[in-house]
Amino acid sequence: MTTPALTFSDDQAAAYDSVTEVLRGSGIDLDDQLLTPPKSSVASVMAITGKAGSGKTLLLAELYKALEGAGVEVVSGDYESRKRRDKRTLAILAPTNKAASVLRLRGVPATTIHRILYTPVYDPEYERIAEWLAANGERPEIDGLTDVALDRAAAFYATNKSIPGALAAAGLRGSDFITGWKRREEPLDIGFVDESSMLDDKQFEDLREIFPTLLLFGDPAQLAPVNQSGAMVFEKLPEKRVLALNRIHRQEADNPILDLAHALGDPDLGFEQFERMVEEAAARDERVVWGQRVEVDLMARSPVLVWRNATRIRLINAFRQVHGAPEDALLEGEPLICDGLELPLKHRKKRLDLEARGLIKGAQVIYLGEGRKPGFSRLHVMGAEDPQVSAASIVKIEKPDEEEPFIPFAARMGATFLHGAAVTIHKAQGSQWDTVQVFAPDLYAAARMGRSEAGQPLWKRLAYVAITRAQERLIWVVRNRLSKPTGPLAVDDLRAVPAAPLALSEPQPEELL
């Protein structure tokens, strides 16, 4: 094999060799950087599994670099060049915008599964810019765009392989470039899927229809999708098709957060013993905090992770109360979680428009204020490449001990949202934040109940997922208390780009309803 620039661990090197052999069978020779037609029409699925810190993401990134170096075209979801007979393609996918953004921060051009299942319909004039940026066409002349604007687009694309980002640098928006969406008709070649523990069977089958070669990256210690009966899709593959990474990568070896996560693999470890480990880690390393209260200042951008719905609702209402939020309106800066789309079947195209812009179930957004029409919200979609949207919204705020949620305002139909100051650990899966607060009393309750999932105590799976959402700092909150905010909610850092409207029927002046 061609030795990568960095030194792999033994199990990473073995996995790299195995993947290289699979790719060679599909007509992509990484050793000699040759692209040929696939040698077989038989679909190939392989999984690389391992706990946090085992090097899955590093391996994914190195494979991406090798494929790009061999001439494979990366399909990012925001742009796909015209079909050529000799073109070979790679798409790097994640189940959510937030999970995709974690990869993009590492230089990997990831997109969501939805953005690959549905292909964009382009404005022909702006498509000429995209073809030029992707080195598939000559420099265009576009009415209204100066040479300086095109140079800005080219400079941006040279360092950030994002067509919407390049268009924004030229003074345009992705919504100018992408006019609609349709179900993908043509298959691609290779798919990498990160956070594949979140895939359900339907998504897996959809991906297998598109990608003859599919590589899954997943963590077997996480929580399986709710409707999967505790099983993850890669656990159903033949044993020889699953490659396990067992060694913690050397760069992560001194991380106390990962030390705690891996300690949960000890079958004899009890909850009280684990909490002592957390307290001891907090005493010697500032990256772990033994918290006596929930820090409210962090909740607007990094939700408190809980197990019980009742805890989530209490924390959300406490967050709104200390910020002085009125019952009949949202404050600018309040966090929301997309809970799905309430649209009739005849509005299927509008559903695609909303989902393509990042408003899929589980998406995290920040409320920026009311839109220009009743029921519309201006939103910042966390982790999306073109994050600012204006959409018809139905916002639901659940109340303690009340069956029906309170709805401060609502459009007739559109994207539905729950409050996002606290979320369940299940919904947090696939996301990461610099600082994460874990509400420990909930995990203690799970431990007291004695429930298991896939042969492991549920509290351990919950704790593992919650802990590994933290990139830099973990706050283990042990008391049912909430701090006071040090200042009002802020959105100034999110206002750099104006919100683009999202259609829910025919265009009308200024907004789309």
Side-chain angles (χ1 to χ4, degrees), residues 93-163:
L93 313 175
T96 66
N97 285 298
K98 199 72 169 62
S101 72
V102 171
L103 288 174
R104 290 198 295 270
L105 287 172
R106 299 187 182 211
V108 179
T111 189
T112 61
I113 292 170
H114 183 275
R115 291 290 290 264
I116 290 299
L117 292 178
Y118 295 93
T119 59
V121 178
Y122 308 108
D123 179 286
E125 187 171 37
Y126 295 136
E127 185 175 9
R128 291 164 54 206
I129 303 176
E131 288 289 329
W132 165 62
L133 292 172
N136 295 320
E138 296 182 355
R139 183 184 177 104
E141 293 184 5
I142 305 292
D143 288 342
L145 282 186
T146 65
D147 285 340
V148 173
L150 288 175
D151 288 342
R152 285 201 306 267
F156 182 95
Y157 191 76
T159 55
N160 304 277
K161 302 298 185 183
S162 167
I163 293 295

Side-chain angles (χ1 to χ4, degrees), residues 78-259:
D78 58 60
Y79 172 70
E80 185 175 342
S81 67
R82 294 167 186 159
K83 187 175 181 180
R84 304 190 311 270
R85 178 178 296 180
D86 61 341
K87 185 172 79 170
R88 304 304 303 276
T89 55
L90 164 69
I92 302 165
L93 313 175
T96 66
N97 285 298
K98 199 72 169 62
S101 72
V102 171
L103 288 174
R104 290 198 295 270
L105 287 172
R106 299 187 182 211
V108 179
T111 189
T112 61
I113 292 170
H114 183 275
R115 291 290 290 264
I116 290 299
L117 292 178
Y118 295 93
T119 59
V121 178
Y122 308 108
D123 179 286
E125 187 171 37
Y126 295 136
E127 185 175 9
R128 291 164 54 206
I129 303 176
E131 288 289 329
W132 165 62
L133 292 172
N136 295 320
E138 296 182 355
R139 183 184 177 104
E141 293 184 5
I142 305 292
D143 288 342
L145 282 186
T146 65
D147 285 340
V148 173
L150 288 175
D151 288 342
R152 285 201 306 267
F156 182 95
Y157 191 76
T159 55
N160 304 277
K161 302 298 185 183
S162 167
I163 293 295
L167 290 171
L172 299 168
R173 298 182 304 199
S175 57
D176 297 324
F177 172 60
I178 298 173
T179 61
W181 297 83
K182 63 180 181 179
R183 179 81 184 198
R184 176 175 292 280
E185 297 173 355
E186 297 292 335
L188 297 170
D189 284 325
I190 303 162
F192 289 176
V193 186
D194 198 26
E195 297 287 355
S196 62
S197 59
M198 299 174 66
L199 291 180
D200 60 31
D201 290 334
K202 176 64 168 61
Q203 290 172 314
F204 183 50
E205 290 306 314
D206 283 342
L207 291 169
R208 293 187 68 175
E209 289 179 9
I210 294 173
F211 297 103
T213 303
L214 191 61
L215 188 59
L216 308 177
F217 293 81
D219 187 336
Q222 291 197 17
L223 295 157
V226 175
N227 58 350
Q228 292 288 103
S229 302
M232 301 173 189
V233 292
F234 51 74
E235 293 175 332
K236 302 174 185 179
L237 297 177
E239 186 175 345
K240 64 181 181 180
R241 307 298 293 176
V242 180
L243 308 174
L245 304 181
N246 297 304
R247 173 184 167 183
I248 299 177
H249 198 258
R250 64 188 181 283
Q251 293 175 343
E252 309 287 356
D254 65 343
N255 189 325
I257 298 173
L258 290 180
D259 289 343

Side-chain angles (χ1 to χ4, degrees), residues 417-431:
F417 296 96
L418 301 175
H419 206 278
V423 302
T424 62
I425 295 169
H426 271 92
K427 284 195 173 181
Q429 204 159 252
S431 298

